[in-house]
Amino acid sequence: MALDEYQSVNRDNRDARVPIHLGSDEYKIQKFVDDPKHISDVVQFDLDRNELGDVAGKSLLHLQCHIGHDTLSWARRGADVTGVDFSEPAIEACKNLSAKSGTPGEILVADVYDSPQVLPDRQFDIVYTGVGAIC
Ligand SMILES: C[S@@+](CC[C@H](N)C(=O)[O-])C[C@H]1O[C@@H](n2cnc3c(N)ncnc32)[C@H](O)[C@@H]1O
């Protein structure tokens, strides 16, 4: 399969997961909205939280941010976050979550390989990706 075709199949698959994840017990989206202290408690995020340590005051770019509950969890830990994902429904969900939960973030639709073009001349203290993005 050519790379373009693979990317298209992959994106369709990721688009289809958005409504499933928005309603899933693992992501606890409503809790994220209702409780301003709630942060992601998926297993990998717990590990990443320990590894990255204190992110307060740091700029953090989350590549392949999906629906953004991890991205916005870093924001709740004090980071100035930017999230990038090529799934439009995922980014729309992420923007909604940011607005509904009052958790700020800069959220962009882009292929990860186009990040330097959509974020020209930007630098970040931390460039992060999470569970499922690297298998
Ligand atoms: C497994 S999900 C990440 C899940 C996230 N760690 C979480 O727990 O919410 C992988 C994400 O990577 C995105 N993705 C895959 N390939 C991409 C690419 N080339 N550019 C941008 N995003 C991509 C998908 O749309 C999907 O949202």
Side-chain angles (χ1 to χ4, degrees):
M1 189 185 287
L3 181 60
D4 282 356
E5 195 184 343
Y6 172 75
Q7 290 284 60
S8 170
V9 170
N10 187 20
R11 188 166 43 235
D12 288 349
N13 178 292
R14 292 299 166 183
D15 288 355
R17 289 175 192 234
V18 169
I20 298 166
H21 288 173
L22 285 175
S24 84
D25 291 339
E26 186 187 13
Y27 282 85
K28 300 188 184 84
I29 293 301
Q30 194 57 48
K31 185 166 184 183
F32 193 94
V33 171
D34 294 340
D35 177 2
K37 291 203 169 95
H38 178 72
I39 62 165
S40 172
D41 57 7
V42 298
V43 172
Q44 183 69 41
F45 190 78
D46 268 355
L47 297 175
D48 293 347
R49 194 168 45 168
N50 291 334
E51 193 159 337
L52 263 62
D54 185 8
V55 298
K58 295 188 175 166
S59 56
L60 184 152
L61 171 61
H62 185 178
L63 298 174
Q64 302 180 223
C65 67
H66 194 44
I67 57 176
H69 82 308
D70 285 356
T71 322
L72 298 174
S73 291
W74 291 117
R76 285 190 169 174
R77 293 179 63 78
D80 179 11
V81 300
T82 302
V84 171
D85 200 288
F86 72 176
S87 163
E88 290 188 13
I91 289 299
E92 190 184 336
C94 186
K95 287 181 175 173
N96 282 339
L97 185 60
S98 173
K100 280 190 189 160
S101 66
T103 315
E106 177 187 25
I107 313 295
L108 305 167
V109 176
D111 192 296
V112 70
Y113 297 109
D114 296 331
S115 302
Q117 285 73 48
V118 296
L119 296 164
D121 303 322
R122 295 281 296 277
Q123 296 199 337
F124 296 89
D125 298 315
I126 300 167
V127 179
Y128 165 82
T129 193
V131 62
I134 300 174
C135 303

